[in-house]
Amino acid sequence: MLTVITLSKAMADAAAPATLDSEKAVKEYYGKILTKSSDLKTGACTSQPGKYPKFIREAIGAVHQEVTDKYYGCGPVFPPALRGSSVLDLGSGSGQDCYILSKLVGQDGEVVGLDMTDEQLAVANKYIDYHTQLYGYSKPNISFVKGNMELMQEAGIPSNKFDLIVSNCVINLAKDKRAVLKEAYRALKDGGELYFSDVYADKDLPANIREHEELWCECVVGALWWRDLYRLAEEIGFSTPRMVTAGLFSIDDKSYKDFLGDAKFVSVTYSLFKLPEGERSPCTIQYNGGIQGYEEDFKFDHGITFKKGEEAHVKAGLAAVLKTSRYSQFFTFSDGEKGPCKCSKLDKDPFELCAEQGNKKSCC
């Protein structure tokens, strides 16, 4: 059981200081200053090649070059079993992840991208017809909405709508992280998943560090202390965050390094679920295969892999996730606790995981 600690407002919200208008700064930076991903000055908002199944690599490769050129992300946001799902992308930018997801969910799925930057939305909207024709769809399954992810309801994002919400190196840019997570919780269906990559710090950064406008826009000094995500998730009602991948990234600019001192940063993909109320209990499960790209082995998080045909047992929290989410159709459930326990350390330190894996750069 994770201990609940009352947080100061600065820790819980990781809010931008009053002297920094973060929304204005981010709009200016991503709308007018940056023209392509190579313009970024740190490695925080650029993803490294991931180990994806072939069908995902093909979907990535199919995205129009102009969309790709203006892409800024720090990790994988393509969880398994997406066919037919409704997906919301927070901070969708030029639309790269949305167009990949559009292919993965299929004609019967739906993808909505939310962004507040006019210039990025213009690029994203420009290629809706292009990708619809490329995928052979009879009509678009994708749309883009202008809005602030702290105020999704004002942007017309409905409640209890989405199977999956993703975000790629964007929540750290928000002034009020708690508001973003609460809005995501509202927009998810019961059993829905928030699956997002973001930058985290190894400590709660002091206010003077958070005043650096360029490093805020570079997705660095707006980073939460990673432990605060667990506390916010529990406070809002999400399941305990599950770390999927993690990778360190370096900041090479000497002036930035001197300014940041000994603070360290890591890019992490986390998975959180909105679970319905009700009694939860451990059970025995068996993975039956059937998930595209994961037919024999389904890696669920950094420490748990389900093997097809293997009988194992899971604790109450994971049992609730598997039974109520889109993954339920791929498992058989029975009473008792048979076979080995599929367990992972839920509050694993991502910096420790990187050290164990020998990661020196972002592995996203």
Side-chain angles (χ1 to χ4, degrees), residues 90 149-150 152 171 174 176-184:
L90 304 181
M149 60 185 166
E150 299 172 34
M152 289 186 230
I171 293 177
D176 187 348
K177 274 76 167 170
R178 178 188 279 112
V180 176
L181 294 176
K182 285 183 70 175
E183 279 288 85

Side-chain angles (χ1 to χ4, degrees), residues 195-266:
Y195 188 98
F196 71 110
S197 293
D198 220 327
V199 174
Y200 295 89
D202 66 342
K203 63 182 72 178
D204 184 42
L205 300 175
N208 69 300
I209 294 290
R210 296 194 185 278
E211 291 179 2
H212 196 296
E213 182 173 313
E214 191 168 68
L215 283 175
W216 183 280
C217 294
E218 286 274 334
C219 307
V220 177
V221 299
L224 276 175
W225 180 32
W226 68 271
R227 289 191 181 276
D228 282 345
L229 175 64
Y230 287 79
R231 294 161 183 153
L232 286 171
E234 184 168 5
E235 176 184 307
I236 291 165
F238 278 109
S239 65
T240 304
R242 291 181 174 272
M243 180 165 47
V244 183
T245 66
L248 299 175
F249 65 87
S250 60
I251 296 174
D252 299 323
D253 185 283
K254 185 177 186 303
S255 63
Y256 288 167
K257 292 173 71 172
D258 291 344
F259 178 77
L260 293 168
D262 62 354
K264 295 182 177 62
F265 301 90
V266 64

Side-chain angles (χ1 to χ4, degrees), residues 53 55 79-82 287-300 306 326-331:
F55 74 99
L82 294 181
Y287 175 51
N288 299 318
I291 299 179
Q292 185 181 10
Y294 307 89
E295 289 82 359
E296 299 297 325
D297 298 285
F298 170 25
K299 186 171 183 180
F300 186 74
F306 299 109
R326 66 186 186 280
Y327 295 124
S328 63
Q329 62 185 303
F330 303 104
F331 285 85

Side-chain angles (χ1 to χ4, degrees), residues 243-245 299-304 344-346 348 353:
M243 180 165 47
V244 183
T245 66
K299 186 171 183 180
F300 186 74
D301 65 19
H302 78 276
I304 294 178
S344 62
K345 182 175 173 56
L346 292 182
K348 177 78 172 180
L353 179 64

Side-chain angles (χ1 to χ4, degrees), residues 7 15 29 50 100-101 173 197 214 247 264 276 303 307 318 323 326-327 351:
L7 303 177
Y29 202 69
I100 296 166
L101 290 161
L173 295 172
S197 293
E214 191 168 68
K264 295 182 177 62
K307 295 184 178 297
L318 181 51
K323 287 180 177 180
R326 66 186 186 280
Y327 295 124
F351 293 90

